[in-house]
Amino acid sequence: MAGISEAHSCSRSFAGQLYHKPSISVFPHPEVIQGGNVRISCGNALYSHATFHLFKGLISQPVKVQQPSSFQSYSVVFNISNVQQSDGGSYSCVYCISEDLNRRCSLASDTVSIVVAAEVYPKPSISVSPGELLSRGENASIRCKSSQQANGEFILRQTVFSRTYRTKKTASDEVVFPIGQAKSSHAGMYQCRYCFHSDSAFYKRCSGYSDKAYINITGECLPSPSGQQV
C-alpha cells in the first residue's frame, strides 16, 4: 500500500472545542526517504478515553488521511508506511470525547511537517582533515564532494546524536564544514548527502548518504613549547 491516501473532507463538525490542544510529534525524523516509514504521535495528558483524528493540511479545511484510532487512550500513533511524494505536507490532530449523545473535541494541535526525499543521485565522498583522530581544541574540517552535481544543498549528519549537524548551499560540487576547537560533542560518525528542492516545499531529490567518516577526540591540544625551563 503506497502511503496513506487522502480522502474526502471530514463531514463531521468539530464544534464545542472545550479541550486543550494535543501534543504532536514525528518519529524517527520529519524527513523520510521515499518508500520508508514514519510515525506521527498525538497525545493529551488528561483524558484516557479520547479518540484521535489525524489531518493533513489546515484544520479549517480538513482532509482526513486516516480513520480515527480504533481504541481510546491518552495517545495514539499513526503509521505511514511506504511513504510517497503525496505524503509530504503539514499534519495536525485533534482528539474527541463522547459523553452520552454529546461529542466534544479539542482545539487543533500544532502542525508538524513531513518532507519526502527521493534518492536519485549518486552518493558524495566524505573526508576529514587533518585526520579522524583529533586532539581536544584542535581545528578540523569535513569535506563532502559530489562527482556529478553542482548548485545543491549539502547536508552533514552526525549519526551519534541522530541529528542533522549542518547544512550548506553551494554553487560548487563540494563543500567544507569547518570544526573549530574540537570537543567531546564533535566525536562520532558523520555522513553527508546533497539535495535539490522541488517546487513543493515537502519534496526534494537527493543523493544517497556518503560512506561513514569518524571523528575521535583525545587528550588536550597543548601549546607549543616556549623553550623556557621549568
Side-chain angles (χ1 to χ4, degrees):
M1 182 175 181
I4 50 179
S5 59
E6 298 182 5
H8 296 293
S9 297
C10 180
S11 59
R12 297 180 180 180
S13 172
F14 286 98
Q17 295 177 330
L18 301 181
Y19 304 113
H20 294 296
K21 65 183 181 182
S23 62
I24 188 169
S25 55
V26 180
F27 298 95
H29 197 276
E31 183 178 302
V32 58
I33 299 299
Q34 184 169 331
N37 303 319
V38 70
R39 305 185 302 276
I40 299 178
S41 175
C42 298
N44 78 88
L46 298 176
Y47 306 103
S48 62
H49 54 293
T51 301
F52 290 83
H53 305 258
L54 180 66
F55 294 88
K56 182 179 178 184
L58 298 176
I59 197 68
S60 60
Q61 298 176 339
V63 176
K64 187 184 298 185
V65 295
Q66 184 164 324
Q67 292 296 321
S69 57
S70 59
F71 60 91
Q72 294 179 328
S73 178
Y74 285 109
S75 64
V76 68
V77 174
F78 295 92
N79 296 299
I80 307 177
S81 58
N82 191 22
V83 169
Q84 299 301 308
Q85 181 177 350
S86 59
D87 294 317
S90 296
Y91 291 80
S92 60
C93 64
V94 301
Y95 62 90
C96 299
I97 298 175
S98 298
E99 296 178 352
D100 298 327
L101 298 178
N102 296 320
R103 181 173 179 268
R104 296 177 178 176
C105 299
S106 70
L107 297 169
S109 68
D110 295 335
T111 60
V112 294
S113 297
I114 292 177
V115 177
V116 181
E119 291 187 347
V120 296
Y121 301 116
K123 66 183 182 182
S125 62
I126 186 171
S127 60
V128 181
S129 178
E132 296 185 346
L133 184 62
L134 302 177
S135 297
R136 192 181 304 274
E138 187 177 3
N139 295 327
S141 62
I142 299 176
R143 182 184 299 273
C144 296
K145 180 177 175 58
S146 162
S147 61
Q148 298 182 10
Q149 303 294 328
N151 299 304
E153 180 183 51
F154 281 82
I155 299 97
L156 180 65
R157 182 177 70 172
Q158 187 179 16
T159 307
V160 69
F161 293 117
S162 298
R163 65 184 176 93
T164 297
Y165 182 64
R166 294 183 194 173
T167 62
K168 185 181 289 188
K169 292 183 179 180
T170 178
S172 177
D173 60 352
E174 65 177 348
V175 69
V176 176
F177 296 94
I179 295 178
Q181 298 182 334
K183 52 189 176 182
S184 298
S185 60
H186 290 128
M189 184 180 75
Y190 291 82
Q191 291 176 288
C192 65
R193 68 173 176 176
Y194 54 92
C195 294
F196 299 88
H197 290 271
S198 67
D199 294 336
S200 168
F202 304 108
Y203 181 74
K204 55 186 179 181
R205 298 179 182 275
C206 300
S207 69
Y209 274 103
S210 68
D211 293 336
K212 300 170 184 177
Y214 296 86
I215 289 181
N216 298 287
I217 309 297
T218 179
E220 298 289 340
C221 187
L222 300 176
S224 299
S226 63
Q228 297 179 351
Q229 293 183 352
V230 179

